[in-house]
Amino acid sequence: MPSPLLQIREATKVYSTGGFLGSGKKTVVALDNFNLTIDESPATITTIAGESGSGKTTLANLVLGFIKLTSGHIIFDGEDITDMTDAQLKAYRRNVQAVFQDPFGVYNPFYRIDHVFDLVNKHFSLSDNQSEYRDMVEAGLNVVGLYGEDVLRKYPHQLSGGQRQRIMMARAYMIKPRLIVADEPVSMVDASLRASILDAMLRLRDDHNISFLYITHDLSTAYQIGDQIYMLYQGTTAERGAAMDVIDAPQHPYVQLLIDSVPVPDPTDKWDVNISLPSEEEMRTAASVGCRYYPRCPHRMDKCLEEQPPLFKMDKPEHEAACYLYEEREVAPIEAPILYSKPKTDAVSQPRRRSRAPLAAAAVIALIVVLAAAIFAINQNNAAIAAEATAEASAAEATDAAIAAATASAEAQAIASATAQAVVEAPEPTPIPEQEFKLSPEGAQAKGALTLNEVTLDEIADEGDLHRYSFDGAEGQEVTVKIRTGGGGLSGGNLNSPYGTIYGPDGEFVAPLGDTAVRPRRSYNAPLTLKAGTYTIIVGAAQVDRYGLVGDAPYQIEVEGEAPKIEATPEPTPIPQQDFKLSPDGAADKGALSLNVVTLDEIAGEDDRHRYSFDGAAGQAVTVKIRTGGGGLSGGNLNSPYGTIYGPDGEFVAPLGDTAVRPRRSYNAPITLKAGTYTIIVGAAEVDRYGLVGDAPYQVEVEGDEPALAPEPMPLPQVEPTPLPQPDFILPSVGATDKGALTLDEVKLDEIADAADVHGYRFEASAGQNVSVKIRTGGSGLSGGNLNSPYGTIYGPDGEFVAALGDTGVRPRRSYNASLTLKAGEYTIIVGAAQVDRYGLVGDAPYQLVVESAEA
Amino acid sequence: MAEQKRYDSDRVVLNVDNLRIHYATPQGDVIAVSDISFKLYEGETLGLVGESGCGKSTTAYGILQLVQPPGYIVHGSIEVDGTEVLNLEEEELRKFRWTGLSLIPQGAMNSLNPTMRVKDQIIDVIESHEGKQNDKEALRERIFELFQNVGLPNRIYNMYPHELSGGMKQRVCIAMGVALHPTVVIADEATSALDVVVQRIVAQTLVKVKDEIGVSLIVIGHDMGLLAQIVDRIAVMYAGKMVEIAPVENVYANPLHPYTQLLIDSIPSIKERKPLKITEGITHDPRNPPSGCIFRLRCPFAWEHCAEVEPPPITVENKHDVACHLYDEQFEERRTNALATLANP
Ligand SMILES: Nc1ncnc2c1ncn2[C@@H]1O[C@H](COP(=O)(O)OP(=O)(O)OP(=O)(O)O)[C@@H](O)[C@H]1O
Ligand code: SF4
Ligand code: SF4
Ligand SMILES: [Mg+2]
């Protein structure tokens, strides 16, 4: 029997989504009882195909370990990935590489392309020899049709999507893993170059025995290079088999439609019918029992509603289809998973497996010392590259030392193996400890004590910024320390991630909150059994990871668990309803709300309150809505600004908030108005019983019909967009932080922290000199959203206003240029957050600034 | 697909002449679009193809005067319905976008504003050109009609983008693109992020809307299968040059330019498994293109003449131009030999 490389058995993944508009919790079964086997040898290309939302990316993320199965097993090399030891997981992450659909997200926009390869080299120690390493990079690039001299010195934005994609393919190739999970790798590459990527895949398969999980909706490429194919429909396999058998003669009605929809590259053979999709509802409410394709299926029968069809065997070997049209055929059996026997205390009998031995104690201490030094180096030196070089090199040395120490003594080995077994059987195998993510308590800023089950929110400013928390443990108390970050709008991108390290009462290392995964995760949990004493948690930016990203985002930290059973927990005090009444006194005036226009703003702290007004007509019915959190708005689940509505005579009308255990993401107050001006106060609620403050961004809207008898609304003033400059975009030249002199053509990179943060630059000009001043920001992963945009103002030698870098457009742009002919003297450029624009966004993103020489 | 040609297919609506666009870099200018000329006819759907980085998007952005620095237009002329776009003042240009020319950008569905309802985004487009619309009822009807054009249900009127599927968002972008009945719509990779069934629906929507509203369409894409289904002519670009422009049937059945032949040859099929046709991509430095023919470093038929003289576009039949010396009558013998090697490789 061939030994399987990857076995997926009865894998189910259920996502629960909180309804954004308070529509309640929904669950989505993204993968349902899915089975798949990829053999070790010969290597194969296994295609996963299916429409958008069918679960393809979910499957990729599961195999890559980014998300966890709800139930079932993923077994790599005979080992269930949830049971792997740290060393096995580390090897697993090297053996399973990823190439993603949109590779832009993994590039740091401020590093040149060669950085991607340098990091790979450092991380995987591919070669010490510089010229050998350059050759490896060149060979990797050549495989994908690129040349080092053309691309290595470029910035990601200077490459096309296709080129970026091919670089990721080259990167994976250099690591020579055993499995590459390629999620839509050619979807952004044009036809003439696709072949070179597909060819690279074939060469990797045939020359290097690397298998692929090739995720695509492009059936033609699957047909050209795929060995096996799995056709997914709503999380289940509709049909599987050899790619050519399935595509030549699809058996399942859905697969037949799919293959029929592939456009034929022949203009004389055009689509003759216009197809349409059933309504979204119909597709989503597909029966939870029975065949998922029933609502769309032209051959549906009553029987199809009773039970989900199993895979039936078709004529060709391995060809199976899940459809009752083939009911009389044999049902394909699900093979039992093959697990390699576990090397309990006998590590020697399994030479192909990695040692489970944890690092010997001495080595761990050595490691801490080395890492503390590395982190000290970071504190000393903000240059990311230097820090990274130091830390990665030190970590590598320390790891070697640790492995050497661990293997030195057979006795230690035996003890270690025994210990390892205990570790494996511990209930929660969640965290992936990695030496690199140990942060030194040295020099950390004290942030005080954490209270059990209370979420604390803070932000790491840069690599040198470390936060220290403490919490008290009782003997035997079980807690889970959780760190969360990321999410649209909270952190700058998908990949930033603060990390933490937990130290025990005696200063000993207890657990990391972080890992070395390709993509840092948004949350890490460390389940602990405590001893009595005070624990310390250090949170900081992780080492620059292999993509050069720094974890400089906001984060939430929480110690979750039962209080030690000393006395009965006091009943949570009901929060008096008045608490949700916010006083209008001292609130910042945010102006009038227009009917049906969403206003977006953010509460900065407990004392920050915003006042809005809106006019009511007698009898007019409106709903005042406040929303926060969730999809792209705030990063957290639970933060919630609250509001209070006051009437024309200052009377309390309605709260936007409640005393529920968990504040909701949205509150609506349907009100029938009287004539007059209403006031809405929005602010942070009292700290609730989970310790949450409503300090998130929010949207507020008064929804309703125009009052029946109201006069025609005043037409908006027809302000024709005025040419620049707009007074709002002029930043005062005083009070800025001096950021020094700009050199011609040198790009400066910095970040505006908040609305009060203003940066000043100087540059010396000669008379008649032509320059172009450019400011850039934004881009995936750079700023928190699409729309943030720092702005600037240029002043001349006599302090006179010269030009603005900014506008009043509907959408702030990512870049502004000002072409100038200068006079002699010193110019000043002020960069800062623009006025809050009409979407309520503040320009608080990182930016690049350059003064470029220009032709007259 | 329903033929509803109410237009004059010989009337030129867009005339691009000798357009050249550079990107300034410290090491010299990259020639992104190199003196290209082509015409778009009324009611026509033109496909623009070529490998990544060959200048397709830059051409589109150039036509719309949206080239971002360090890019700049060196010279050329872009006439839409007789109006020279390059002479428009900033303000006139702003008006001209959406009404004369509109763009459905690459990754359009991510260009929707996440904090605005679908209706408000469409109203924004309309009001920014036509001023505040006081007749709300009429405005809503107009938006519903747009929805109908692109096959969207009215219930999405009040929804936010995150509540829509990718295919629906893409159709909202199409609705915005055609809202003001522009003369020319440019769709840059409008369907490449979608799966085949949805892609087919979106592509059909695009063509249907084009026919109903009577606009001309430029579809930039790399899915040769999809283009075969929806376009009338195909323009093939290579390294900033337009090497062939021809009726779609000719391109697939009888590609003339050696690069077009390569492109057609590398189309993946689901009917037969073919050996992969590997091409290395553009091999020269885009700042320093070779003399003579742009394709000669990769061309299997190149000879000395190709290094000396740049091939001018040769009109081989109505609406079919090719820029290759092989189609110059004085080299007929060479052409015959070349085609013979193609037939028996
Ligand atoms: N984090 C999440 N929370 C809730 N639902 C999710 C989440 N991620 C995916 N889903 C849902 O799970 C299903 C499968 O999604 P998945 O992204 O795996 O599809 P896909 O086949 O990769 O689609 P595409 O081709 O568009 O990338 C979809 O219904 C999707 O909406
Ligand atoms: S099982 Fe029934 S509903 Fe499902 S695909 Fe087959 S015939 Fe159609
Ligand atoms: S002009 Fe010469 S080099 Fe260019 S495509 Fe024609 S034959 Fe090839
Ligand atoms: Mg996907």
Side-chain angles (χ1 to χ4, degrees):
Chain A
M1 177 185 298
S3 57
L5 179 67
L6 179 73
Q7 304 167 82
I8 300 178
R9 290 293 178 272
E10 300 179 332
T12 296
K13 175 67 190 176
V14 181
Y15 292 109
S16 33
T17 59
F20 183 65
L21 296 167
S23 48
K25 234 179 152 97
K26 286 185 204 137
T27 56
V28 176
V29 182
L31 204 60
D32 190 5
N33 206 356
F34 179 76
N35 294 286
L36 170 148
T37 304
I38 296 179
D39 285 335
E40 158 96 61
S41 196
T44 50
I45 294 173
T46 301
T47 304
I48 310 293
E51 66 183 356
S52 162
S54 61
K56 304 185 297 291
T57 299
T58 299
L59 180 64
N61 287 338
L62 285 164
V63 171
L64 289 163
F66 298 155
I67 55 173
K68 291 199 174 301
L69 280 176
T70 307
S71 64
H73 302 275
I74 296 176
I75 297 149
F76 185 81
D77 213 1
E79 186 78 30
D80 194 318
I81 63 172
T82 53
D83 292 342
M84 283 187 183
T85 62
D86 306 337
Q88 285 175 317
L89 266 175
K90 191 167 183 184
Y92 177 65
R93 284 173 196 286
R94 180 174 184 143
N95 278 325
V96 181
Q97 287 296 315
V99 173
F100 293 108
Q101 181 165 17
D102 171 18
F104 197 65
V106 302
Y107 288 106
N108 183 319
F110 296 134
Y111 284 107
R112 296 179 200 268
I113 298 303
D114 51 9
H115 189 70
V116 169
F117 292 99
D118 292 348
L119 289 167
V120 168
N121 189 27
K122 275 183 204 126
H123 199 89
F124 294 105
S125 309
L126 300 177
S127 172
D128 300 340
N129 177 314
Q130 195 60 24
S131 79
E132 184 189 40
Y133 160 65
R134 285 285 152 205
D135 288 348
M136 289 172 73
V137 172
E138 193 63 39
L141 287 171
N142 292 350
V143 163
V144 299
L146 293 172
Y147 298 90
E149 61 189 80
D150 292 342
V151 297
L152 287 175
R153 300 303 295 160
K154 290 209 167 128
Y155 289 97
H157 69 88
Q158 294 174 312
L159 299 178
S160 69
Q163 287 170 320
R164 292 195 291 259
Q165 185 62 282
R166 285 142 65 200
I167 285 167
M168 293 322 287
M169 199 45 108
R171 184 196 144 277
Y173 167 81
M174 281 176 65
I175 302 162
K176 309 236 157 63
R178 291 163 72 192
L179 178 70
I180 292 179
V181 178
D183 192 354
E184 303 281 8
V186 297
S187 71
M188 293 170 77
V189 181
D190 38 70
S192 71
L193 291 174
R194 234 170 235 203
S196 64
I197 291 188
L198 300 177
D199 178 64
M201 289 170 68
L202 291 178
R203 266 191 270 166
L204 293 173
R205 181 192 69 183
D206 301 337
D207 302 346
H208 302 275
N209 202 39
I210 298 173
S211 287
F212 281 83
L213 199 57
Y214 174 45
I215 293 175
T216 189
H217 58 247
D218 176 3
L219 294 170
S220 56
T221 55
Y223 189 78
Q224 294 303 317
I225 64 162
D227 296 305
Q228 291 289 310
I229 194 165
Y230 287 73
M231 295 287 200
L232 292 193
Y233 186 74
Q234 292 193 6
T236 61
T237 304
E239 185 163 348
R240 62 162 289 239
M244 293 181 76
D245 294 343
V246 171
I247 295 171
D248 282 343
Q251 303 295 316
H252 189 284
Y254 165 64
V255 181
Q256 288 166 349
L257 169 73
L258 197 66
I259 286 169
D260 194 44
S261 295
V262 174
V264 187
D266 179 356
T268 58
D269 182 7
K270 292 205 179 178
W271 287 321
D272 46 6
V273 282
N274 278 337
I275 57 162
S276 60
L277 284 179
S279 73
E280 213 88 342
E281 293 86 0
E282 212 183 317
M283 284 169 68
R284 281 302 142 202
T285 52
S288 53
V289 287
C291 176
R292 300 263 185 133
Y293 193 56
Y294 185 88
R296 293 169 67 181
C297 182
H299 307 292
R300 61 190 179 192
M301 308 167 278
D302 288 347
K303 154 125 199 133
C304 310
L305 275 176
E306 286 163 18
E307 207 186 333
Q308 207 166 302
L311 283 162
F312 294 99
K313 286 186 167 182
M314 301 294 107
D315 297 339
K316 295 274 173 61
E318 307 260 310
H319 191 172
E320 298 161 8
C323 170
Y324 285 122
L325 293 173
Y326 310 99
E327 201 186 349
E328 74 287 356
R329 303 191 184 210
E330 196 186 329
V331 173
I334 298 168
E335 292 162 32
I338 301 168
L339 285 163
Y340 299 158
S341 61
K342 299 204 175 200
K344 298 290 173 187
T345 48
D346 180 17
V348 192
S349 69
Q350 291 286 338
R352 58 180 275 128
R353 297 167 44 83
R354 316 265 160 161
S355 164
R356 281 165 173 261
L359 307 178
V364 173
I365 291 162
L367 196 58
I368 293 171
V369 172
V370 176
L371 277 153
I375 284 156
F376 182 70
I378 300 171
N379 291 339
Q380 293 298 302
N381 181 355
N382 263 349
I385 296 173
E388 168 205 322
T390 320
E392 294 225 5
S394 315
E397 280 161 25
T399 310
D400 289 343
I403 291 166
T407 46
S409 145
E411 208 179 328
Q413 175 82 37
I415 297 165
S417 300
T419 326
Q421 204 49 45
V423 170
V424 168
E425 265 133 39
E428 284 288 344
T430 335
I432 304 149
E434 263 309 321
Q435 302 82 327
E436 280 103 320
F437 298 101
K438 236 176 245 176
L439 295 163
S440 155
E442 227 49 45
Q445 219 182 319
K447 291 283 182 175
L450 294 173
T451 310
L452 210 58
N453 301 323
E454 237 177 55
V455 176
T456 299
L457 179 69
D458 209 318
E459 182 158 1
I460 296 293
D462 55 41
E463 290 119 316
D465 192 15
L466 293 177
H467 296 176
R468 179 217 310 270
Y469 295 92
S470 63
F471 68 94
D472 288 328
E475 191 64 44
Q477 185 186 1
E478 290 189 353
V479 298
T480 301
V481 180
K482 300 185 166 183
I483 191 165
R484 285 186 74 244
T485 185
L490 224 195
S491 88
N494 288 322
L495 301 170
N496 292 334
S497 228
Y499 297 79
T501 310
I502 308 169
Y503 294 95
D506 306 316
E508 77 281 18
F509 170 81
V510 175
L513 291 165
D515 66 24
T516 51
V518 175
R519 303 195 155 188
R521 278 180 293 139
R522 297 237 175 93
S523 63
Y524 296 97
N525 298 342
L528 307 172
T529 304
L530 304 178
K531 55 187 184 182
T534 301
Y535 282 70
T536 303
I537 306 173
I538 307 297
V539 179
Q543 297 300 99
V544 170
D545 69 31
R546 76 167 81 151
Y547 290 116
L549 294 159
V550 176
D552 58 351
Y555 64 89
Q556 293 184 327
I557 186 154
E558 181 182 8
V559 180
E560 201 180 76
E562 298 274 314
K565 293 178 198 74
I566 302 166
E567 53 192 82
T569 325
E571 266 306 294
T573 338
I575 297 168
Q577 185 63 49
Q578 306 84 281
D579 286 348
F580 296 99
K581 236 177 248 180
L582 294 162
S583 155
D585 290 335
D589 190 7
K590 293 285 180 172
L593 294 175
S594 308
L595 211 57
N596 301 323
V597 173
V598 177
T599 298
L600 181 70
D601 209 320
E602 184 157 0
I603 297 292
E606 273 170 83
D607 297 329
D608 190 17
R609 267 167 302 121
H610 298 173
R611 179 218 308 268
Y612 295 91
S613 64
F614 69 93
D615 287 328
Q620 186 187 1
V622 299
T623 302
V624 181
K625 299 185 165 183
I626 192 165
R627 260 206 305 276
T628 185
L633 235 190
S634 94
N637 289 319
L638 300 170
N639 292 335
S640 226
Y642 296 83
T644 311
I645 307 168
Y646 294 95
D649 304 317
E651 78 280 18
F652 170 81
V653 174
L656 291 165
D658 65 20
T659 52
V661 175
R662 303 202 154 195
R664 279 180 294 138
R665 295 236 177 95
S666 65
Y667 295 98
N668 298 342
I671 20 185
T672 303
L673 306 176
K674 55 186 183 183
T677 302
Y678 283 70
T679 304
I680 305 172
I681 307 296
V682 179
E686 294 299 289
V687 170
D688 68 32
R689 75 172 75 159
Y690 284 115
L692 294 162
V693 175
D695 58 350
Y698 64 88
Q699 291 183 329
V700 64
E701 180 182 10
V702 180
E703 202 181 78
D705 291 327
E706 305 278 346
L709 293 171
E712 259 312 290
M714 281 263 294
L716 280 186
Q718 288 292 316
V719 193
E720 278 306 311
T722 331
L724 298 176
Q726 273 292 301
D728 287 356
F729 298 99
I730 296 180
L731 294 159
S733 59
V734 287
T737 311
D738 188 0
K739 292 283 180 172
L742 290 172
T743 314
L744 206 60
D745 297 323
E746 186 198 335
V747 180
K748 284 273 182 200
L749 174 66
D750 210 319
E751 183 158 1
I752 297 292
D754 56 39
D757 191 16
V758 179
H759 298 173
Y761 295 90
R762 290 170 276 120
F763 71 93
E764 201 63 45
S766 52
Q769 185 183 2
N770 288 303
V771 298
S772 174
V773 181
K774 301 181 172 181
I775 192 165
R776 280 186 78 241
T777 184
S780 355
L782 225 195
S783 88
N786 288 321
L787 300 170
N788 291 336
S789 228
Y791 297 81
T793 310
I794 307 170
Y795 293 94
D798 306 316
E800 79 281 17
F801 171 83
V802 174
L805 293 165
D807 67 21
T808 52
V810 174
R811 300 192 160 199
R813 279 181 291 139
R814 297 236 175 93
S815 64
Y816 295 97
N817 300 338
S819 296
L820 306 173
T821 302
L822 306 175
K823 55 186 184 184
E826 189 180 69
Y827 281 71
T828 309
I829 304 174
I830 308 295
V831 180
Q835 296 298 100
V836 169
D837 68 32
R838 88 182 220 215
Y839 293 114
L841 294 159
V842 177
D844 58 350
Y847 64 89
Q848 291 182 326
L849 180 69
V850 63
V851 178
E852 275 181 9
S853 35
E855 298 289 307
Chain B
M1 235 166 283
E3 297 275 300
Q4 304 192 7
K5 295 207 173 103
R6 283 174 276 111
Y7 33 74
D8 173 2
S9 58
D10 283 326
R11 194 170 80 84
V12 175
V13 290
L14 170 71
N15 189 3
V16 175
D17 189 37
N18 205 25
L19 179 67
R20 188 177 189 91
I21 306 176
H22 286 186
Y23 285 103
T25 78
Q27 294 80 36
D29 277 12
V30 167
I31 305 159
V33 174
S34 179
D35 305 333
I36 70 167
S37 303
F38 68 94
K39 293 179 170 63
L40 179 70
Y41 296 92
E42 190 177 3
E44 182 182 38
T45 303
L46 177 72
L48 190 55
V49 301
E51 63 195 44
S52 67
C54 75
K56 302 183 297 281
S57 294
T58 306
T59 303
Y61 283 90
I63 293 170
L64 286 142
Q65 296 284 286
L66 284 173
V67 178
Q68 292 288 309
Y72 63 99
I73 295 181
V74 180
H75 57 67
S77 155
I78 298 157
E79 266 180 27
V80 176
D81 262 347
T83 306
E84 174 58 64
V85 180
L86 294 176
N87 291 341
L88 293 179
E89 297 291 325
E90 185 64 33
E91 178 50 27
E92 296 168 315
L93 194 59
R94 197 187 61 82
K95 286 240 152 96
F96 201 64
R97 286 184 198 130
W98 302 104
T99 55
L101 284 166
S102 81
L103 175 74
I104 303 167
Q106 195 158 5
M109 52 198 195
N110 301 322
S111 71
L112 293 172
N113 182 327
T115 65
M116 271 174 96
R117 293 174 196 279
V118 168
K119 65 165 184 202
D120 292 328
Q121 312 208 24
I122 299 178
I123 291 173
D124 226 50
V125 168
I126 295 174
E127 293 192 338
S128 69
H129 283 82
E130 301 180 359
K132 179 83 182 165
Q133 303 289 299
N134 288 326
D135 188 345
K136 297 286 169 214
E137 197 51 41
L139 186 59
R140 188 162 67 210
E141 280 312 312
R142 186 164 158 193
I143 292 172
F144 284 170
E145 197 184 312
L146 278 171
F147 283 174
Q148 201 185 338
N149 286 333
V150 300
L152 284 169
N154 288 349
R155 70 188 162 82
I156 69 150
Y157 185 72
N158 268 316
M159 289 187 177
Y160 287 92
H162 76 263
E163 296 173 272
L164 309 179
S165 69
M168 290 169 106
K169 280 191 264 190
Q170 198 60 266
R171 279 180 280 168
V172 170
C173 293
I174 296 175
M176 285 166 72
V178 300
L180 300 175
H181 292 206
T183 315
V184 177
V185 175
I186 302 179
D188 191 359
E189 306 272 9
T191 61
S192 34
L194 307 169
D195 62 79
V196 282
V197 179
V198 182
Q199 174 184 297
R200 172 168 174 181
I201 291 165
V202 171
Q204 287 172 347
T205 304
L206 207 57
V207 172
K208 168 173 158 285
V209 171
K210 186 213 73 162
D211 285 342
E212 280 171 7
I213 298 185
V215 301
S216 304
L217 192 58
I218 298 180
V219 182
I220 300 178
H222 56 243
D223 186 334
M224 297 296 284
L226 186 71
L227 289 174
Q229 293 295 323
I230 65 173
V231 308
D232 304 316
R233 279 198 304 158
I234 286 196
V236 181
M237 285 186 73
Y238 182 79
K241 292 272 181 201
M242 192 161 282
V243 296
E244 184 162 4
I245 180 165
V248 65
E249 296 80 11
N250 298 14
V251 170
Y252 287 81
N254 183 24
L256 297 186
H257 195 281
Y259 174 64
T260 315
Q261 290 165 352
L262 184 72
L263 202 64
I264 296 298
D265 250 22
S266 52
I267 297 172
S269 154
I270 59 161
K271 301 273 195 256
E272 66 176 314
R273 223 182 234 213
K274 302 188 282 195
L276 293 168
K277 181 112 186 173
I278 314 297
T279 68
E280 316 98 83
I282 294 167
T283 48
H284 62 262
D285 178 348
R287 283 175 293 259
N288 189 16
S291 64
C293 175
I294 192 81
F295 190 57
R296 73 172 162 87
L297 301 179
R298 289 174 62 193
C299 182
F301 311 120
W303 76 103
E304 314 80 60
H305 186 62
C306 305
E308 287 155 15
V309 181
E310 183 179 338
I314 296 167
T315 303
V316 291
E317 63 177 80
N318 186 28
K319 296 182 180 177
H320 188 165
D321 293 354
V322 60
C324 168
H325 291 310
L326 289 176
Y327 300 93
D328 186 334
E329 277 175 14
Q330 53 172 312
F331 302 119
E332 193 173 348
E333 195 180 332
R334 209 171 258 281
R335 172 170 77 237
T336 319
N337 292 341
L339 294 181
T341 47
L342 264 194
N344 325 292

